[in-house]
Amino acid sequence: MPAEEADTGRAVLTDIDILSLDVDSRLRLSRSSLECKSGKGQSGEPDTILWLVGFKQLLKLDRVTLVRQIVSPRGQSLARKLDVTVMDEATVARREKAHAWMPARFAHLDGPACLDAESRTTGQLKGLPDIPAGLARFLRGDALLADSPNLLAAVQAFGVAVGKQGVLPEPAAGVLSGHSLMAILLAGIQDAGRLDAFPVSSLRRRLVSALTVGDPDDTYVLPMLEKADALIRFIQDQTHKAYVDAGAEPIRLDPPSLRDAIASAPPYVDYYLNFVERLRENPQVASGLLQTAELTCFDALLGDSAWKSDSFSHLFTTEHKGLLLVALKCLEEVAGVQVASSLRDIHDLPFRGSAGKVPDRREPFDQPTLY
């Protein structure tokens, strides 16, 4: 996690061991962090729990968990009082057994193809000066903690950067486009979850305000710009009148509006909001779409095969593919054709899963079923 206004060499404030995103049936997003410690003794246990309370507040997380080999009764008591979850090694082992039916490695969970592609992308970015390092870092990690306006602005900025840089080499093109698609989905799901509280018209107004003046609830900047426009018109009219009174021929010139120059909605907003409504209309599929996109972009498209496992079949139905392709079109609207074209092979992937199929979790994981 980067620190704001940091001295040179001190840009990283801290790291996050595990960040988990959960989407419920109403498309409400919650974020959880797990801090993993290897020490057996009680030394530092209370300090870590207290630190996690501040960490939760800083990142606006919904839950934080401390994972240690052994959790003392004192630690458990303090954690309960501070609303921090604690887990010991035995609890982790029990939970791992419950997930034995899933592949041990896939996509960003130590998937070999994904790790190789991400590593090579890091090297390639050093030779791509028009792709800002901060922007790439945001898309590849910090985006998971961001709200929809920041996500959309970052994806749009990436499209502009790619236009300046030109064709990106592989795997950097596919990796960064994959992260951009994840950002579009994360933004869309967050806004789809807000439709319970806001009508689309209000959501649009807030989104445009956030993307233009930086505040979804702004009540100062736009009125001030309107007053500035009125002042410019007044001065122009007075100057024009003075010239006409002196015998000059009348000439009418309409000055550009400061308000319109600042507050014009980005051209992709309406398509994006249509995408948000599509997500809201099918929450059962949309709630798992982040994982579908993760497996698609960072497992399937990179040549790995874990995504074909029976345990993921419920994430690869025709409905999932339909919504994912709408998200890909939305990515094209926001970032441009060049960014979206890196993921064009999604069209050819066989989404033949069944939403109603329930794998036998008692059976150990075998090789993926080839479609």
Side-chain angles (χ1 to χ4, degrees):
M1 190 188 77
E4 297 179 1
E5 301 179 6
D7 297 331
T8 303
R10 297 180 178 271
V12 178
L13 181 62
T14 185
D15 60 354
I16 301 176
D17 291 344
I18 299 174
L19 180 65
S20 172
L21 275 64
D22 297 289
V23 183
D24 69 10
S25 60
R26 299 189 70 82
L27 302 186
R28 292 170 296 196
L29 181 74
S30 60
R31 296 178 174 90
S32 307
S33 172
L34 290 85
E35 181 74 9
C36 304
K37 299 294 184 183
S38 58
K40 294 183 178 180
Q42 298 184 28
S43 176
E45 184 184 58
D47 292 339
T48 303
I49 293 173
L50 291 169
W51 178 83
L52 278 172
V53 175
F55 186 69
K56 176 182 179 182
Q57 183 178 0
L58 175 65
L59 298 186
K60 299 179 181 179
L61 299 171
D62 298 282
R63 290 176 296 276
V64 288
T65 300
L66 173 62
V67 183
R68 302 183 83 242
Q69 289 185 337
I70 299 174
V71 181
S72 71
R74 179 182 66 168
Q76 292 174 347
S77 176
L78 179 62
R80 283 195 297 270
K81 292 177 182 178
L82 297 176
D83 193 27
V84 175
T85 304
V86 291
M87 293 172 53
D88 59 15
E89 195 173 59
T91 303
V92 174
R94 287 197 302 271
R95 295 194 177 188
E96 285 179 342
K97 289 182 179 179
H99 293 285
W101 58 288
M102 296 178 63
R105 295 177 176 82
F106 55 91
H108 281 100
L109 298 182
D110 292 332
C114 179
L115 292 179
D116 177 69
E118 289 281 13
S119 176
R120 291 169 58 196
T121 295
T122 299
Q124 289 175 337
L125 283 171
K126 297 176 182 178
L128 301 173
D130 286 318
I131 307 297
L135 176 60
R137 183 172 58 248
F138 176 85
L139 290 172
R140 298 173 77 185
D142 300 337
L144 296 176
L145 295 169
D147 203 356
S148 54
N150 291 331
L151 292 166
L152 292 171
V155 173
Q156 183 180 14
F158 176 61
V160 173
V162 170
K164 293 179 180 179
Q165 181 66 54
V167 178
L168 302 186
E170 292 292 349
V175 166
L176 294 176
S177 293
H179 284 293
S180 297
L181 181 63
M182 294 289 292
I184 290 290
L185 280 167
L186 185 56
I189 289 171
Q190 289 182 91
D191 282 335
R194 294 185 174 111
L195 289 180
D196 277 344
F198 297 103
V200 175
S201 58
S202 296
L203 184 61
R204 187 185 193 281
R205 177 186 58 78
R206 289 170 56 84
L207 181 63
V208 170
S209 181
L211 289 170
T212 53
V213 301
D215 182 359
D217 300 305
D218 171 69
T219 57
Y220 301 102
V221 175
L222 294 184
M224 184 62 69
L225 291 175
E226 289 174 355
K227 292 179 180 179
D229 284 339
L231 177 61
I232 291 173
R233 286 194 299 270
F234 173 77
I235 295 175
Q236 183 195 44
D237 289 343
Q238 293 297 105
T239 304
H240 183 77
K241 182 176 183 299
Y243 272 102
V244 172
D245 290 344
E249 291 293 326
I251 299 175
R252 169 55 61 184
L253 294 175
D254 293 323
S257 168
L258 294 174
R259 187 192 187 284
D260 292 346
I262 297 296
S264 297
Y268 59 79
V269 165
D270 289 330
Y271 191 94
Y272 168 75
L273 289 173
N274 179 269
F275 168 58
V276 169
E277 290 186 280
R278 291 279 296 271
L279 293 173
R280 187 61 189 150
E281 290 169 358
N282 197 347
Q284 183 177 2
V285 171
S287 61
L289 207 57
L290 282 171
Q291 191 171 10
T292 300
E294 164 81 0
L295 288 164
T296 298
C297 296
F298 300 102
D299 201 280
L301 294 185
L302 295 180
D304 235 328
S305 59
W307 69 282
K308 297 179 181 179
S309 168
D310 286 342
S311 55
F312 294 137
S313 64
H314 65 290
L315 298 171
F316 288 91
T317 69
T318 54
E319 287 183 295
H320 285 84
K321 185 171 186 177
L323 276 181
L324 193 61
L325 291 177
V326 176
L328 183 60
K329 178 60 178 176
C330 190
L331 174 64
E332 180 180 321
E333 294 290 324
V334 177
V337 175
Q338 189 171 341
V339 173
S341 65
S342 298
L343 304 176
R344 59 183 176 273
D345 288 346
I346 292 177
H347 288 269
D348 300 325
L349 287 178
F351 279 52
R352 299 172 183 168
S354 170
K357 183 176 180 180
V358 180
D360 187 352
R361 302 189 183 196
R362 297 169 298 181
E363 295 295 327
F365 171 70
D366 294 320
Q367 292 296 320
T369 301
L370 300 180
Y371 292 144

